[in-house]
Amino acid sequence: MESIISKMNNRCYRIWFSLLVLSLSVVSVQAQNQEEKYTFEFRGTPLPEVLDHIARETGIDMVYDPALVEDISVYQRIQNQTIHNLLNAILADSPLDFVTLSSGTVVIVRTVSERAAYGSLQGKVVDNHTGDPLPGASVMLADASGGTSTSESGNFSINRLVSGTYTIIFSYIGYESVYKTVDIRPDQNLQQKISLDPKPVDFTPIVVTGHVPQLPLNYKQGQSISSKTEWEPGGRLKNAIHSLSLLSGVQYGLPMTDLHLQGGQRGEHRIMLDGVPIYNPYSFGKMFSAFSPYAISRLEVHKAGYGVPEGSQIAGLINLKHDVGNIDQPRIMLQADPLSLNTRGDLQIKTGKDSSTIDIMGAARTNYWDVYQDPSLQQTLREWDALDPLVTNLLINSEEDASLYQPRTHTSDVRFYDLHLASRYKIDTYRTLSASFYAGENFVHTELLRQAEQNQDLPEYLFARDEYRWNNMMGQLTYDQLVTPRLDLRSQLSFSSNQFQHRYLIGTSEDPSIPELNYGGALGDASASYIQNAFSRN
């Protein structure tokens, strides 16, 4: 019995000894594998295939959850690296890591240290009363760690914000600043619409010395020290072109002459309506403008030397914008003044979506010179239509002295009209479609008749007829969209046309009636000598 037990013990010892030797051999092989270096190249290979290939080539045991390695591809070229460095390189661009068990088995796990999670903030800054976008508004983080400014359509975006709570400051000159606290979650694109309330800005007067501007004696305005001025009073402008005199650095007011902006040459400046050029928008002696005063809401002036978004021209630029306001119910307005009759209508249509609306504005203006002639404009026309004797003698090539003629009659006719249509479709907070149309015509006609003094050997009458006619037409369609946090899309399709005509007639006659303007035909009175000219420009 003892011999049997002794044999069994000897057999157990041999088995345990064999297992110990075998385990040491496996550890030795694994340690040797861990130190051996390998070379692999993968070009967009799915991660499960990569791990299986590495396990076969290196002879290591590898365990992983198939759900962890889905939708991950590997682009790596690894040369002469150990298994540890090899796996580090393979998993470097993924949210995975690996651990090696005491048995040598490699287990693929989710990374222990989470990477920073990011989100983004985008939105639009608008006027709280009108809903108009505020371009160039500041959007800053309260801790001064970053920020941005709004685009031409009022959109903004701040990317790669580490998830957490932020205080954002929204500010714009002439408006009350808004502080807003937002929570940014991982992979969230948070959208916000910010409305700012207008606030007057008070500052001490600025006095510039050492510079004497060359201005008319009756010009009382100061000079500008900034390259851009934007003026939007509490309502519509009293008169769009007339109100230019309220801005410093702008000279305006002489009949039939171009306005002038400080820093550029007279006559080189451009006037635009909703971003579309308007040619020859004359304003006769500050009496009436080319645009209905009840159709314009904002006036923007760029002095010489403005930036690329406005065209980078040497001359100045004045941009007028149609007034498409936010209204709760339809309204219509009718107004009359000594010069014209104005009408305007507004309508808002809600499309059923949360913030989607269609705003429509229409304005028209015409005059009634045949019914009532404004004394101020009538006097301006009389002063403007005076004949200079030397110029008159030169024009009619007459040996007589035109100064010997005394005024007898002076008549004038002024006609003008304009039509404005504008609409804005707010598709949603970040998409807007707007359109506008403008058509206007101006006509000024004057007649002057002078009579020679008695006992003068001259034709009895000296006459002059002068006529100006100019018209404009404009249309535009604009689409604004904040496509992505990094892409703000703005596209515009527009057209603009203009025609200007000037005709005059001057001469002498024995008949007190003034001949009609015509092209190339005879006057029908052999006793009349005259000169007629016409000028047209498109």
Side-chain angles (χ1 to χ4, degrees), residues 433-491:
L433 181 67
S434 60
S436 59
F437 172 81
Y438 160 74
E441 180 172 300
N442 298 269
F443 174 80
V444 177
H445 176 90
T446 60
E447 295 179 357
L448 178 66
L449 182 64
R450 289 174 171 255
Q451 188 173 13
E453 298 180 354
Q454 295 182 356
N455 302 322
Q456 297 289 336
D457 188 16
L458 298 171
E460 187 171 359
Y461 298 101
L462 172 65
F463 59 85
R465 189 187 286 267
D466 205 359
E467 182 178 294
Y468 289 85
R469 184 190 301 272
W470 61 97
N471 54 60
N472 287 280
M473 184 177 295
M474 178 279 294
Q476 64 87 25
L477 181 67
T478 302
Y479 178 73
D480 289 296
Q481 180 182 359
L482 185 61
V483 182
T484 68
R486 297 185 179 184
L487 177 60
D488 186 11
L489 174 65
R490 178 182 177 87
S491 58

Side-chain angles (χ1 to χ4, degrees), residues 387-400:
L387 290 179
D388 181 87
L390 296 179
V391 176
T392 302
N393 291 335
L394 181 62
L395 286 176
I396 63 177
N397 194 23
S398 174
E399 297 179 359
E400 291 84 9

Side-chain angles (χ1 to χ4, degrees), residues 240-524:
I241 298 295
H242 191 179
S243 300
L244 288 168
S245 295
L246 302 177
L247 301 176
S248 60
V250 179
Q251 299 179 22
Y252 157 78
L254 297 178
M256 301 302 295
T257 59
D258 293 326
L259 59 89
H260 177 58
L261 274 66
Q262 180 184 7
Q265 297 296 321
R266 185 181 298 276
E268 294 182 351
H269 311 292
R270 172 170 292 183
I271 291 183
M272 308 182 77
L273 180 61
D274 291 339
V276 181
I278 302 295
Y279 304 98
N280 297 328
Y282 288 123
S283 176
F284 193 86
K286 302 176 67 173
M287 294 297 150
F288 61 88
S289 72
F291 309 101
S292 170
Y294 293 93
I296 307 300
S297 65
R298 180 173 295 177
L299 180 90
E300 190 177 277
V301 177
H302 295 266
K303 305 296 176 60
Y306 46 83
V308 173
E310 288 78 26
S312 297
Q313 298 186 69
I314 298 177
L317 180 145
I318 298 172
N319 190 19
L320 308 173
K321 296 185 179 180
H322 274 114
D323 182 19
V324 185
N326 291 339
I327 60 172
D328 297 329
Q329 57 186 0
R331 64 187 180 186
I332 189 169
M333 180 273 299
L334 184 66
Q335 182 270 348
D337 56 48
L339 279 174
S340 60
L341 178 66
N342 296 273
T343 182
R344 168 176 170 145
D346 294 88
L347 177 65
Q348 184 178 82
I349 303 173
K350 297 185 181 296
T351 62
K353 300 180 181 179
D354 294 338
S355 60
S356 179
T357 59
I358 300 177
D359 296 291
I360 303 174
M361 183 277 296
R365 180 185 59 162
T366 186
N367 72 320
Y368 38 81
W369 186 261
D370 294 336
V371 177
Y372 175 77
Q373 299 181 5
D374 180 71
S376 298
L377 181 54
Q378 190 178 53
Q379 181 62 31
T380 299
L381 291 171
R382 285 184 177 274
E383 295 176 356
W384 168 64
D385 208 25
L387 290 179
D388 181 87
L390 296 179
V391 176
T392 302
N393 291 335
L394 181 62
L395 286 176
I396 63 177
N397 194 23
S398 174
E399 297 179 359
E400 291 84 9
D401 187 357
S403 63
L404 300 177
Y405 290 86
Q406 299 299 321
R408 176 173 173 173
T409 60
H410 182 281
T411 59
S412 57
D413 184 19
V414 176
R415 295 193 302 270
F416 60 87
Y417 78 87
D418 54 81
L419 174 66
H420 299 260
L421 296 174
S423 63
R424 180 175 59 197
Y425 176 28
K426 294 182 179 179
I427 304 173
D428 51 38
T429 305
Y430 306 107
R431 292 185 298 164
T432 303
L433 181 67
S434 60
S436 59
F437 172 81
Y438 160 74
E441 180 172 300
N442 298 269
F443 174 80
V444 177
H445 176 90
T446 60
E447 295 179 357
L448 178 66
L449 182 64
R450 289 174 171 255
Q451 188 173 13
E453 298 180 354
Q454 295 182 356
N455 302 322
Q456 297 289 336
D457 188 16
L458 298 171
E460 187 171 359
Y461 298 101
L462 172 65
F463 59 85
R465 189 187 286 267
D466 205 359
E467 182 178 294
Y468 289 85
R469 184 190 301 272
W470 61 97
N471 54 60
N472 287 280
M473 184 177 295
M474 178 279 294
Q476 64 87 25
L477 181 67
T478 302
Y479 178 73
D480 289 296
Q481 180 182 359
L482 185 61
V483 182
T484 68
R486 297 185 179 184
L487 177 60
D488 186 11
L489 174 65
R490 178 182 177 87
S491 58
Q492 184 181 65
L493 178 66
S494 65
F495 76 91
S496 179
S497 66
N498 160 260
Q499 186 178 35
F500 174 77
Q501 292 181 337
H502 174 213
R503 295 189 295 170
Y504 68 88
L505 176 69
I506 186 171
T508 58
S509 174
E510 299 293 343
D511 188 348
S513 62
I514 302 177
E516 294 294 332
L517 281 167
N518 57 74
Y519 289 97
L523 288 177

Side-chain angles (χ1 to χ4, degrees), residues 155-211:
N155 296 324
F156 71 90
S157 62
I158 303 178
N159 305 313
R160 290 189 62 79
L161 288 172
V162 178
S163 58
T165 302
Y166 294 88
T167 299
I168 313 294
I169 305 174
F170 302 89
S171 60
Y172 192 73
I173 296 177
Y175 288 80
E176 186 79 33
S177 297
V178 170
Y179 292 73
K180 191 174 184 64
T181 301
V182 297
D183 292 322
I184 304 296
R185 296 192 296 270
D187 300 323
Q188 180 191 25
N189 182 18
L190 182 62
Q191 298 181 343
Q192 294 283 316
K193 181 179 180 180
I194 309 299
S195 300
L196 303 185
D197 290 313
K199 177 186 177 182
V201 178
D202 298 326
F203 56 90
T204 58
I206 300 175
V207 179
V208 179
T209 60
H211 172 65

